[in-house]
Amino acid sequence: MTSKKEVIIMQVNTETIVEFKKSDAKQQIVYGEVYKPNVRDSDGNFMTAETIEKMAHDFLGKARTSHISKNHDGNNNKGYVVESFIVRKGDPDFIEGSWVVGVHVPDIEIWKQVENGTLTGFSIEGTATLIPDKEENK
C-alpha cells in the first residue's frame, strides 16, 4: 500500500505539485518552485518564463498571500507567503525563470509534517486560458 503524500495548497492559475526544495526550521519557512518554465505540469501543460512572471506578479498584486490550505480542503490560512521571486540565472538552488515562494507555516503540527516528509510540496490550482501547444499543431 502506497502512503499518500500531503501538500500545502496555493491557489493560482493551473494545477500541479511541486516538491519543497529548502526549508528554514528556525523560522518555519519552506521554499519551492511554484512553476518551472517550459516543463510540462501534471495536466501536460507548460508556461514560458514570461507567463510565469506575470502569474507571480498577479498573485501578489491581488494580495492572495494567505490563500494557502492543506490538501485542497478550502480551509485557508495554513501558511503565508513571506517571500516570492523569479529565479535569476546562476541561482544554485532553483531553475532559472521559475517562480519560487517561501511560505511561513505557523502551526507547529503542520510544520512537523514538513520536517518529517509527510507534507512534501506545493500544489497550485485555479483557472487559466490554454493556448494550443505549437508542437501539437505541426
Side-chain angles (χ1 to χ4, degrees):
M1 176 183 224
T2 305
S3 63
K4 183 178 177 185
K5 294 293 184 176
E6 297 181 4
V7 294
I8 293 177
I9 306 306
M10 294 189 61
Q11 296 179 355
V12 190
N13 288 347
T14 187
E15 184 173 343
T16 191
I17 297 175
V18 229
E19 291 187 9
F20 300 142
K21 279 202 167 175
K22 293 173 51 176
S23 65
D24 179 332
K26 183 177 179 181
Q27 295 185 33
Q28 291 180 215
I29 299 173
V30 64
Y31 298 87
E33 292 153 330
V34 175
Y35 211 95
K36 302 170 191 174
N38 304 313
V39 175
R40 294 199 182 272
D41 62 26
S42 58
D43 294 320
N45 301 313
F46 68 93
M47 289 187 225
T48 64
E50 294 79 16
T51 301
I52 292 169
E53 184 173 55
K54 180 181 181 330
M55 177 177 63
H57 293 173
D58 287 349
F59 176 81
L60 290 176
K62 293 176 183 170
R64 299 182 68 187
T65 57
S66 64
H67 287 200
I68 299 177
S69 64
K70 182 179 164 193
N71 292 325
H72 298 273
D73 66 5
N75 185 6
N76 294 340
N77 301 321
K78 299 293 185 189
Y80 302 90
V81 175
V82 294
E83 294 184 45
S84 174
F85 61 93
I86 301 299
V87 179
R88 304 296 180 221
K89 186 175 183 175
D91 187 294
D93 299 310
F94 302 104
I95 296 171
E96 179 181 343
S98 295
W99 174 25
V100 173
V101 294
V103 173
H104 172 62
V105 180
D107 183 297
I108 191 66
E109 294 305 314
I110 294 175
W111 180 253
K112 286 179 185 176
Q113 294 174 353
V114 170
E115 289 188 313
N116 71 23
T118 303
L119 284 173
T120 60
F122 298 118
S123 172
I124 59 176
E125 68 179 355
T127 59
T129 302
L130 297 178
I131 299 170
D133 189 336
K134 291 178 185 174
E135 293 175 12
E136 294 175 359
N137 291 331
K138 290 182 179 178

